Amino acid sequence: MRASFIPFLKALILLIVAAFALPAAAQLAVPAKGNHIAAELVAAGPVVPGEELDLALLFRPEPGWHGYWKNPGDAGLGMQLEWQLPEGWKAGEPLYPVPHKLLVAGLMNHVYEGEYAVLVPLAVPANAAVANITPIQVEANWLACTEQICVPERATLTLRLASGQGPGDPRFDQWRAALPPLLDQKASFELTADTLRIAVPIPASLALSDPHVFLANEQLVDYAAAQVFRRDGDVLVAEIPRKGLAQDAQGLSGILKLDDQGNGITFEAVPGEVPTGGTLIAGSGGAGLAPLWVLVGGAFLGGLILNLMPCVFPILSLKAMTLARAGESQASARREGVAYTAGVMLACLALGGLLLALRAGGSEVGWAFQLQEPGVVVALLALAVAITANFAGVYELPSVSFTRTGGRSSAFATGLLAAFVATPCTGPFMAAAMGAALLLPWWQGLFLFGALGFGLALPFLLLGFVPALRRLLPKPGKWMDTFRRILAVPMGLVALALLWLTWRLGGPLFAVFAVVVALAFLGILVMVQRRESRPWLFAAPAVAVLAAVTALVLPHAYRPTTSAEESLLAAVPFSEAKLAEARASGKPVFLWFTADWCLTCKVNEGVAIEREGTRDAFAKAGVVAMRGDWTRRDPAITRFLTEHGVAGVPLYVWYAPGKDGEILPQVLTPDSLIELAGKV
C-alpha cells in the first residue's frame, strides 16, 4: 500500500506546485494537440514461439522538454505501464538507458532530454499461436516537464506483431547499445545513519570521468548531495549521503554512470563489507567549492597571516637581520625584496607541485607532508644547527650567509627556508584554499600555492619598494653583530625542537644519528671557510659522501615510537570506526588532529585542550575526546582531512549529539571548548 501511495503523492504534489506555486507564465499546461513527449511502441522483429522478443517504447520530447528515469529523483514521476497481452505472454521489467542529472531549484532530477528508447523484454510461450495474433496494447502514463512546468501525459499504444521470419528493426542495435550492461558480480553495500557506501567490482583499468550513481531505490539517499568515489584496486567505492523515509534496504540496484557520453553499468548490491580507504578520484566536496577568485584571496590572506602564526616565529630572526640590511640603499633593498619573494614563491610552488604529483600517483599525503619524512627532518636539523652556528659567529660563508653579508643570495635562501618551515601551519583563510587546491585541476591548485607564497612574502617585498616603511627600521651598524649573536639563541631552540622531533619520530638512536649528521655538516662548512683555495672543490664531494652515508644508515637507525602521548582528556586514538561508534552512542564528540611538528597545534593544546578546566567540562557533559596524530604519514587521517576540505593540521571538529560535525576555528581560545561542552 505504501509503495503504491508514494508515486501518487509525488504526482499530486507536482500538480499542486505547478498550479499554485509557480508564476503565471508557468501554470499547469494542457497541450491542445497531442503530447509534449511523443511515444511509439516498436518491436525488434517478428514473433517466434518460445523466444523472447524485445519491444521498445520510443520517446521523442519536444525541445526544452524531458522525461524521467524510473526513479525520477527529488521531483518528477516515473513511467507507469499497464499491458494487455495474449494469455501466457509476459512483459519484463523496462530497461532504461543512462539518465542525465538536472538540478532545478536545489532539486536533483534524473531525466532524458532528447530522444530515448526504453526496452521491454516480452516472453513468448512456446505454445503461442502466432497466426492472427491479438494486437499488443499498453496504457502508458508519464510526466513531461520543462524547468518551469510539468504536464501529466498518457497514451494507449497498440502494436500488431508479424509472425514467422523477417528482417529485424535495425534501430534496436543502437538502442541495446545504449543500455548499461548488468555486472556479472554482485556489489556490496553498507548503510549508516549518514551515508550509503557501495563497493562496485569494476577493473581498475576502466576509465572514469565524472562518475555518478543513479540509485533505483527511492527515499534512501540525498540525490542532490555530492557523491565521493575512491578506487581500491578492482573495486570502486561510492559514498552517498543519506536522506529520505527509508530506514533500511535488503538489496540495492541502480546505474553507475561512467562518463558524460552515455556509458554506464547496471549493478545489483547486497549487504556486505565495503573497503575503507583507497584513492580519491571524484567528489569530496569539490562541487561545493567557492569560486576560484575567492579561494585565491583566501590563499593570499592565509599567507599574509602566516607571518604572525606561531610556526613562523622561529624564522622571524632570519628575516629581522635581512630587513635591517635592506635599509642600506634603494637598489639593494629592492633586489633583496624581489629575491626573498622569489625564494618564498619557488618553495611554495615546488612543495605544492610535488604534493599534487604525489596525490595524482595515488599517495595519501597532505600539506606539510615533508615533515612526516624522517630524512627531511634530519636535513632540517642539520640546517638549523648550521644557521645557529652562523649567527654565533662560528663561521661565515658570504655566498650563503643569512646575516649581514648575504645580499640577494641570502634573501633568496631566507625566502626558501621561510616558506619551507612555515608550511606545517594552516591558519585563518588558508585552510579552505589549501584543501581546495587538492581537488581543483592541477594548474588552479598551483595558482593557489603561488598566491599563498605571495601573501607570505608581501611584507618584505613592500619593505623593499616603499622607502617610508624602511625608514622605520633601525640603521645598520655595529649593533647588528651583537644582535646576530643574540639571535643564535632562538635559532638554537629551533634546533632543539627539531632534535626532539627526531626522537619522537624515530626513537633515541635515530636522534643520536641526526645529531652526528648535523655536526658533520657543520664541520664541513667550517672547513670550507678555512680553505683558501677553491673551497667548493672540497665541499661538494664532502656533502655528497655525507648524504650517501646518511641514506645508508638512516633506515637502520629509524625505530618508530609506538607509545601515544598522554592526554588530560583521556583521548581515544582516531579511527573512522571508533568515530562512528562514539557518535552512535549519543554523546558529544570532540575530535582533533595534531602533529608534533605543528607549533600551532601545540599552542592550541596548551591554551585550550590539555587543561583541567576543559577536562572537567568534558567529564560533566559526557564528551568523548578523540585525537588523530598526524606526526607520521597516516592515510586514514589524510583522507579525513581531505573530505573535510582541509589539507593539513590542525583540524578541530565538534559533533553535537545527533548532528553533523562543526569545524572549529584553527586558533582556539582558552574557554572555547568549555563553552561548547556547556551547551550540551
Side-chain angles (χ1 to χ4, degrees), residues 25-296:
Q27 295 299 307
L28 182 64
V30 179
K33 296 181 179 179
N35 292 322
H36 291 291
I37 301 180
E40 180 184 359
L41 184 61
V42 185
V47 177
V48 177
E51 295 185 8
E52 190 174 79
L53 175 66
D54 283 339
L55 304 180
L57 289 157
L58 179 61
F59 294 98
R60 297 187 179 93
E62 292 178 356
W65 292 79
H66 57 259
Y68 290 91
W69 188 49
K70 60 182 178 180
N71 180 355
D74 286 319
L77 189 66
M79 179 177 61
Q80 297 176 0
L81 303 176
E82 293 185 10
W83 293 93
Q84 295 182 15
L85 302 172
E87 185 177 354
W89 296 39
K90 186 176 181 180
E93 287 294 320
L95 304 175
Y96 290 79
V98 180
H100 305 290
K101 296 181 293 181
L102 178 62
L103 189 64
V104 180
L107 300 177
M108 179 63 74
N109 303 279
H110 306 151
V111 304
Y112 301 99
E113 296 178 303
E115 180 179 297
Y116 64 101
V118 179
L119 301 191
V120 180
L122 184 64
V124 181
N127 59 353
V130 296
N132 299 320
I133 305 173
T134 303
I136 289 176
Q137 192 173 86
V138 61
E139 186 79 22
N141 292 268
W142 64 88
L143 194 68
C145 293
T146 68
E147 293 189 14
Q148 291 78 34
I149 62 175
C150 285
V151 178
E153 297 184 345
R154 61 181 298 174
T156 300
L157 306 176
T158 302
L159 177 64
R160 297 184 180 275
L161 296 174
S163 60
Q165 301 297 322
D169 191 324
R171 293 176 296 177
F172 273 80
D173 292 336
Q174 178 182 354
W175 295 338
R176 291 189 184 103
L179 299 178
L182 178 64
L183 278 179
D184 57 358
Q185 301 180 61
K186 295 283 187 179
S188 59
F189 72 91
E190 291 179 346
L191 275 173
T192 68
D194 302 315
T195 308
L196 166 64
R197 303 180 67 246
I198 310 174
V200 184
I202 59 174
S205 58
L206 183 63
L208 296 174
S209 175
D210 190 27
H212 187 84
V213 171
F214 294 98
L215 196 65
N217 304 62
E218 296 189 7
Q219 296 291 320
L220 191 63
V221 299
D222 186 347
Y223 302 117
Q227 299 182 358
V228 178
F229 292 87
R230 292 187 177 88
R231 277 201 185 278
D232 185 5
D234 290 330
V235 175
L236 179 70
V237 178
E239 298 180 356
I240 311 172
R242 292 285 306 276
K243 184 180 179 181
L245 301 176
Q247 299 299 316
D248 202 354
Q250 299 304 312
L252 301 179
S253 64
I255 293 176
L256 170 63
K257 178 177 77 74
L258 303 177
D259 52 39
D260 293 326
Q261 283 71 52
N263 296 310
I265 55 175
T266 301
F267 66 87
E268 295 178 348
V270 295
E273 183 178 355
V274 177
T276 58
T279 302
L280 182 70
I281 61 172
S284 191
L289 294 179
L292 182 60
W293 68 270
V294 174
L295 296 172
V296 170

Side-chain angles (χ1 to χ4, degrees), residues 18 30 38 156 170 179 189 278 282 286 362 429 440 458 512-513 531 605 668:
V30 179
T156 300
L179 299 178
F189 72 91
F429 301 104
L440 291 169
L458 184 61
V512 171
F513 170 73
R531 292 180 68 92
E605 287 167 17
L668 300 177

Side-chain angles (χ1 to χ4, degrees), residues 504 561-567 571-574 596 627 629 632:
R504 290 284 298 168
T561 56
T562 55
S563 59
E565 187 177 346
E566 293 185 1
S567 170
V572 178
F574 165 79
D596 288 338
R627 177 178 59 193
D629 189 346
R632 300 179 194 84

Side-chain angles (χ1 to χ4, degrees), residues 539-600:
V543 171
V545 170
L546 178 61
V549 172
T550 301
L552 289 174
V553 178
L554 186 146
H556 301 285
Y558 182 67
R559 296 289 187 273
T561 56
T562 55
S563 59
E565 187 177 346
E566 293 185 1
S567 170
L568 278 176
L569 306 183
V572 178
F574 165 79
S575 73
E576 292 185 353
K578 290 179 180 178
L579 177 60
E581 180 181 350
R583 294 184 63 189
S585 69
K587 298 180 180 179
V589 179
F590 172 62
L591 170 63
W592 85 94
F593 293 94
T594 182
D596 288 338
W597 38 259
C598 174
L599 291 180
T600 305

Side-chain angles (χ1 to χ4, degrees), residues 219-471:
Q219 296 291 320
L220 191 63
V221 299
D222 186 347
Y223 302 117
Q227 299 182 358
V228 178
F229 292 87
R230 292 187 177 88
R231 277 201 185 278
D232 185 5
D234 290 330
V235 175
L236 179 70
V237 178
E239 298 180 356
I240 311 172
R242 292 285 306 276
K243 184 180 179 181
L245 301 176
Q247 299 299 316
D248 202 354
Q250 299 304 312
L252 301 179
S253 64
I255 293 176
L256 170 63
K257 178 177 77 74
L258 303 177
D259 52 39
D260 293 326
Q261 283 71 52
N263 296 310
I265 55 175
T266 301
F267 66 87
E268 295 178 348
V270 295
E273 183 178 355
V274 177
T276 58
T279 302
L280 182 70
I281 61 172
S284 191
L289 294 179
L292 182 60
W293 68 270
V294 174
L295 296 172
V296 170
F300 170 76
L301 290 175
L304 195 62
I305 296 175
L306 205 58
N307 286 280
L308 305 176
M309 297 297 287
C311 51
V312 188
F313 288 167
I315 59 165
L316 290 180
S317 57
L318 300 178
K319 293 182 182 182
M321 296 299 296
T322 314
L323 292 176
R325 271 201 329 274
E328 295 177 359
S329 72
Q330 176 75 11
S332 63
R334 289 182 176 178
R335 285 195 298 267
E336 292 199 19
V338 172
Y340 176 82
T341 302
V344 171
M345 294 192 66
L346 178 62
C348 287
L349 288 171
L351 287 171
L354 180 59
L355 171 60
L356 294 176
L358 290 173
R359 289 180 66 90
S363 298
E364 296 281 359
V365 294
W367 189 238
F369 67 96
Q370 68 275 13
L371 292 182
Q372 296 173 327
E373 298 297 330
V376 173
V377 178
V378 172
L380 278 176
L381 174 62
L383 184 60
V385 169
I387 295 173
T388 301
N390 183 262
F391 278 9
V394 175
Y395 71 97
E396 187 75 34
L397 298 177
S399 59
V400 296
S401 175
F402 293 100
T403 60
R404 66 183 185 279
T405 58
R408 284 176 294 179
S409 61
S410 172
F412 180 78
T414 303
L416 286 174
L417 187 64
F420 194 78
V421 178
T423 51
C425 281
T426 55
F429 301 104
M430 177 183 166
M434 294 299 96
L438 305 183
L439 303 175
L440 291 169
W442 67 269
W443 64 271
Q444 294 182 4
L446 285 180
F447 199 70
L448 293 181
F449 289 121
L452 171 72
F454 186 70
L456 179 60
L458 184 61
F460 189 29
L461 185 64
L462 290 177
L463 281 167
F465 281 83
V466 181
L469 293 177
R470 290 199 309 278
R471 285 194 288 270

